[in-house]
Amino acid sequence: MKQNELAKSLKLFIGLTCVILAICGFIVVPKLGIDIALSEPEFAYLYYPFLIFIWITIIPFYAALFEGWKISNEINKDNSFSKKNMDSLNRIRKYALSECFLYFVGALILLYFNLLHLSILIIILFVIFVAMCISVFIAVLAHLVQKACDLKDENDLTI
């Protein structure tokens, strides 16, 4: 696969992910929240705090997608192994870790108010696990890009 084709497919994937995330975060989740609030009136007061929490946790995800878009631009320029990409990967890693932190704090708040149901805990732990896996994978990828960038720079200096 050529760099141009790879960059286009990455941008298509990132664009579709942005659209799907927007649909889920701004249409599906509020609709589900309203349904829960109507069927379980004792939890209706939690609708807006949960909705705001979901919207806050979407921010690092969109930031990571933006960094991915910048990486795909660099790939399109045939500049895959660059310091710019390594920095973008490190920012994506930090965004994944911030998702872990946000969901951990969310779980602690729910636990404090005695609202941490087992199914919610399982979802939170799953999100934390996936974000940690992404963070580790991205850290390894950033290290490999750094090593490749160093080799490329060394090779460029050789006549």
Side-chain angles (χ1 to χ4, degrees), residues 104-153:
F104 180 73
V105 169
L108 289 178
I109 291 170
L110 289 175
L111 184 64
Y112 177 76
F113 289 110
N114 200 22
L115 296 169
L116 191 59
H117 189 269
L118 180 62
S119 60
I120 294 173
L121 177 64
I122 290 171
I123 291 169
I124 289 173
L125 290 176
F126 178 73
V127 170
I128 290 172
F129 174 74
V130 169
M132 288 297 283
C133 289
I134 289 171
S135 177
V136 168
F137 174 74
I138 293 296
V140 169
L141 193 58
H143 177 74
L144 292 174
V145 168
Q146 179 187 9
K147 290 294 184 185
C149 181
D150 292 344
L151 284 173
K152 182 180 141 203
D153 289 344

Side-chain angles (χ1 to χ4, degrees), residues 4 7 13 18 23 25 28 36 44-45 63 65 67 72 86 88-89 98 104 106 113-114 116 128-129 133 151 156:
N4 191 18
F13 175 76
C18 285
I23 290 170
V28 175
I36 291 171
Y45 72 97
L65 289 175
E67 293 296 331
S72 66
M86 185 190 66
S88 288
L89 287 169
S98 70
F104 180 73
F113 289 110
N114 200 22
L116 191 59
I128 290 172
F129 174 74
C133 289
L151 284 173
D156 288 344

Side-chain angles (χ1 to χ4, degrees), residues 3 6-18 59-77 79-80 82 84-93 95-96 134 138 141:
Q3 277 89 7
L6 179 62
K8 283 182 183 178
S9 10
L10 283 173
K11 287 181 179 180
L12 177 66
F13 175 76
I14 291 169
L16 287 174
T17 305
C18 285
I59 294 169
F61 200 90
Y62 271 116
L65 289 175
F66 176 70
E67 293 296 331
W69 189 271
K70 290 188 336 188
I71 290 171
S72 66
N73 284 336
E74 290 298 315
I75 290 172
N76 195 24
K77 295 176 191 174
N79 194 19
S80 301
S82 66
K84 214 175 192 181
N85 283 350
M86 185 190 66
D87 292 339
S88 288
L89 287 169
N90 283 324
R91 282 190 291 275
I92 291 171
R93 179 182 57 83
Y95 295 141
I134 289 171
I138 293 296
L141 193 58

